[in-house]
Amino acid sequence: MIGAWFATDYDEPQHVIEGLPIEVTSGRDPGLGIVDQVVRGQGIVGRVTGDHGAVGLKVSSPGAGTRVAVQIHLDEVGTRWWSDRVRPSRLAPELPRVVLLRAQGRLRGAAVLARRQGLRRAGGAKLTLEFDLTAAELDGDGLLMVELAEPPRPGWAEGRYSARSALGVRIDKISVRAQPPTTAAPAAHPDTGCDLAVLPPGSPERFRLELSPVTPAPPLPRSPSNRWTRRKPARAGFKVLRAAHRAGTRVVAEVHKSRPHAGVGVQAIDLLTGVPVGLEVVGRGAGGLDVRRTGAAEGPVLIGLDPGDRGLSCRVLVPGR
């Protein structure tokens, strides 16, 4: 046991969270023992500061299966962090995020986060992902590791979601409770707000992809980078230009709403293996597409419209859920 013989009088014993259910909502929780590329928060667990980020909770092993829920959130601060560190073109529109959720070293799910665009500002995008752990996966050491990571990037998705997607994303809450008799079923996710969606692992071959119009996102704000743009007149001018751009984008989107045309298709990739997944459109309607998966998938499947359309939002509907 490394460290047992190297303790000093200044070392504090690691706090272990006892009993179920467990809910961690702050980076100051004493049970949060490890952070890797995550800055702790006070009202949230933390915010990812790199291309991936992980947190570790010291949990007393219950000796039985558990269900874990992780709430992630993309907000205004997260997008500002991203733009200040990646420094995209001032004319490049805000793109959705696609992030992978890993726990105990295995891929457990994936999420598409696209902020809803209003007339004055954008709202946040929040999603809760659930998965089950066996008793052996949360063993006697009781260390629960949760990680947000980058997904594979197929050629057809180039320029359709953000590079370094995990950067700036919040981990709002991690909860652990006793595992119910049934396995964790993917929640009925709302529409994603963009032309991408995730099909959860274990979903049936046939599903419906609902399509609805959405306001495309304007370019992201960037913090001033030199002494001229930091001055108040320049910053006020940038603010007026951003407001005008947002209003113009919204008006155009309302007047010319996107509609799925007759030739729209879908393409997909297995986010676990990075292998393309075959999809076949078996039915079309005014509100979306009926799709059948023709290829096998080991993990969550990222689906994109072909061709892409920034004015359309996707929602996956799985029969029986």
Side-chain angles (χ1 to χ4, degrees):
M1 182 175 172
I2 297 175
W5 300 99
F6 298 95
T8 71
D9 291 340
Y10 298 99
D11 292 323
E12 296 180 2
Q14 178 62 52
H15 178 79
V16 179
I17 306 175
E18 301 281 353
L20 296 179
I22 294 166
E23 188 169 282
V24 176
T25 59
S26 173
R28 297 187 178 183
D29 191 295
L32 183 61
I34 298 174
V35 290
D36 179 15
Q37 293 199 112
V38 171
V39 59
R40 298 173 186 251
Q42 184 171 355
I44 62 173
V45 176
R47 191 183 296 275
V48 179
T49 62
D51 294 339
H52 67 87
V55 297
L57 303 179
K58 191 69 173 174
V59 178
S60 177
S61 176
T66 53
R67 180 160 297 176
V68 182
V70 181
Q71 186 179 85
I72 59 176
H73 187 183
L74 176 64
D75 60 358
E76 179 70 28
V77 175
T79 56
R80 174 77 73 164
W81 272 33
W82 185 91
S83 64
D84 288 347
R85 286 157 179 78
V86 179
R87 309 301 292 181
S89 165
R90 290 193 179 275
L91 300 179
E94 179 181 348
L95 297 176
R97 308 289 189 92
V98 179
V99 294
L100 304 181
L101 175 67
R102 295 195 181 105
Q104 312 304 71
R106 289 180 51 197
L107 180 62
R108 308 290 176 167
V112 174
L113 300 172
R115 297 194 306 150
R116 293 310 179 98
Q117 305 297 321
L119 188 61
R120 297 185 59 188
R121 61 179 62 88
K126 186 182 298 186
L127 199 62
T128 299
L129 297 174
E130 290 191 343
F131 55 90
D132 289 339
L133 294 178
T134 64
E137 288 178 303
L138 195 59
D139 57 15
D141 291 337
L143 185 61
L144 172 60
M145 291 297 301
V146 174
E147 178 188 10
L148 296 185
E150 286 287 292
R153 191 173 299 272
W156 58 262
E158 192 64 36
R160 293 179 61 175
Y161 61 87
S162 295
R164 308 180 67 185
S165 280
L167 177 61
V169 175
R170 291 168 38 168
I171 302 175
D172 282 359
K173 179 171 63 175
I174 301 174
S175 61
V176 185
R177 63 186 188 275
Q179 189 178 118
T182 58
T183 58
H189 292 170
D191 52 332
T192 61
C194 65
D195 58 356
L196 302 169
V198 170
L199 182 67
S203 297
E205 289 186 352
R206 294 187 66 130
F207 61 94
R208 180 167 177 79
L209 190 65
E210 287 195 341
L211 305 177
S212 57
V214 68
T215 303
L220 276 171
R222 279 172 50 176
S223 298
S225 57
N226 59 62
R227 63 191 183 93
W228 301 108
T229 55
R230 290 194 194 101
R231 294 181 176 180
K232 287 185 178 180
R235 297 178 68 173
F238 289 146
K239 187 174 182 179
V240 170
L241 288 175
R242 286 197 302 270
H245 198 156
R246 180 175 293 278
T249 303
R250 181 64 180 265
V251 169
V252 171
E254 290 293 334
V255 174
H256 302 286
K257 289 187 177 181
S258 291
R259 295 285 189 273
H261 56 81
V264 67
V266 287
Q267 43 197 341
I269 182 175
D270 186 337
L271 291 173
L272 177 61
T273 63
V275 175
V277 176
L279 297 179
E280 177 187 7
V281 178
V282 296
R284 299 177 184 272
L289 308 172
D290 295 316
V291 183
R292 182 170 68 91
R293 178 169 51 82
T294 59
E298 299 181 29
V301 176
L302 177 65
I303 301 170
L305 297 184
D306 182 23
D309 188 336
R310 294 180 59 235
L312 289 177
S313 172
C314 298
R315 182 187 182 196
V316 173
L317 292 180
V318 178
R321 289 175 182 164

